[in-house]
Amino acid sequence: MLCRRGWSGSARTGGAGAAMAEWGRGQSPDAMEDMLDVENKRMTDSLASKVTRLKALALDIDKDAEEQNRYLDGMDSDFLSVTGLLSGSVKRFSTVVRSGRDNRRLLCSVSAGLVLIFFILYYLVSRAGT
């Protein structure tokens, strides 16, 4: 990065390159090379630490994505089992509704009993809460 800015001390180069060129006018070329080498090593170390952090973040994202995919796969199988259960229940209910008059009376009385039990439980729970 410093090598691209040039060795001239002009004000147009700006930044650290101009300051180093101004500072290095009285220096020997070996000292200037050593200074640039130290600066390049420092920047290389900084870049290496940033790459390491980026790699750690990428691995964390990969791990999270795998966990979420496993979770979604589990939900998919759960939904499939619920779908099977509901379709079986609907088939049984349709069979009962299509059958004779005796089953319809039984179905109506069971439905009315369930609604009555629901309201009784709702009343008891609301009284217990107050």
Side-chain angles (χ1 to χ4, degrees), residues 7-8 11 26 31-32 36 43-44 56-57 59 68 79 105 108 117 123:
W7 293 84
S8 68
M32 190 67 171
L36 287 175
M43 293 177 92
T44 302
L57 283 173
L59 290 174
Q68 290 175 2
F79 277 121
R105 286 185 189 155
C108 287
I117 289 172
Y123 175 73

Side-chain angles (χ1 to χ4, degrees), residues 1 4 38-56:
M1 189 161 173
R4 290 186 182 185
V38 167
E39 183 68 16
N40 281 340
K41 285 181 182 177
R42 183 188 65 78
M43 293 177 92
T44 302
D45 291 341
S46 172
L47 184 61
S49 70
K50 289 177 183 177
V51 167
T52 303
R53 278 186 274 155
L54 247 161
K55 183 180 177 182

Side-chain angles (χ1 to χ4, degrees), residues 5 20 45 60 71-72 83 87 91 102-103 113 118 123:
R5 290 188 180 165
M20 282 190 226
D45 291 341
D60 287 345
Y71 178 70
L72 289 174
T83 302
S87 64
K91 284 179 186 176
D102 294 333
N103 285 338
F118 173 76
Y123 175 73

